[in-house]
Amino acid sequence: GAVMRRAAAIVIGMCVLLAGCAASPDTTYTSDTVATLQTKVLSVTDAAASGDPESALARLDELQATLLDEFARGTVDQARFDSISAAIDLVRADLDLLISEQASDDETEPTPSNTDKPGKPDKPGKPGKDD
């Protein structure tokens, strides 16, 4: 349903993120930076794929913090920073939507009742058994 389509969109967004984190001939973008960012992206993907969008959002926050740190240290240039940040924003929007859809689904699911079969009266005891 809609949740699976949203999860698929998140995975596609994560692929965009991974591509943005891929190595390039840019000398400021070291293999350590690439590995760090890709590891963070994979942790977001794992959490999203396991159906835990709240955890995926937390991992996404960690990714964004790492990206900001790498940018501040000069290991990520402005163009790559902007590209990865845009992908993070898209994935965040999808995760937020998925969380709100799950919350909405939780509110609309009927709660099970304690009666065995609603609408049927209890069977009275047979006369003579307790006498």
Side-chain angles (χ1 to χ4, degrees), residues 106-120:
D106 289 346
E107 291 172 6
T108 58
E109 285 182 11
T111 55
S113 61
N114 289 337
T115 60
D116 291 336
K117 294 184 180 179
K120 293 198 174 188

Side-chain angles (χ1 to χ4, degrees), residues 13-118:
M14 298 313 300
C15 292
V16 171
L17 264 174
L18 271 175
C21 295
S24 73
D26 179 0
T27 56
T28 62
Y29 195 55
T30 67
S31 59
D32 287 344
T33 303
V34 171
T36 299
L37 292 174
Q38 287 180 338
T39 299
K40 297 286 186 186
V41 169
L42 289 174
S43 71
V44 176
T45 305
D46 289 345
S50 69
D52 188 356
E54 289 89 359
S55 180
L57 267 179
R59 303 291 85 76
L60 196 63
D61 289 341
E62 291 172 9
L63 171 63
Q64 190 162 34
T66 300
L67 178 64
L68 287 167
D69 182 50
E70 295 294 339
F71 181 67
R73 290 196 288 149
T75 56
V76 174
D77 65 18
Q78 184 69 52
R80 188 174 301 271
F81 176 83
D82 291 344
S83 172
I84 296 172
S85 292
I88 287 172
D89 290 344
L90 289 173
V91 171
R92 183 179 309 283
D94 284 340
L95 287 170
D96 286 339
L97 188 56
L98 181 60
I99 289 169
S100 68
E101 286 174 354
Q102 284 181 343
S104 173
D105 287 349
D106 289 346
E107 291 172 6
T108 58
E109 285 182 11
T111 55
S113 61
N114 289 337
T115 60
D116 291 336
K117 294 184 180 179

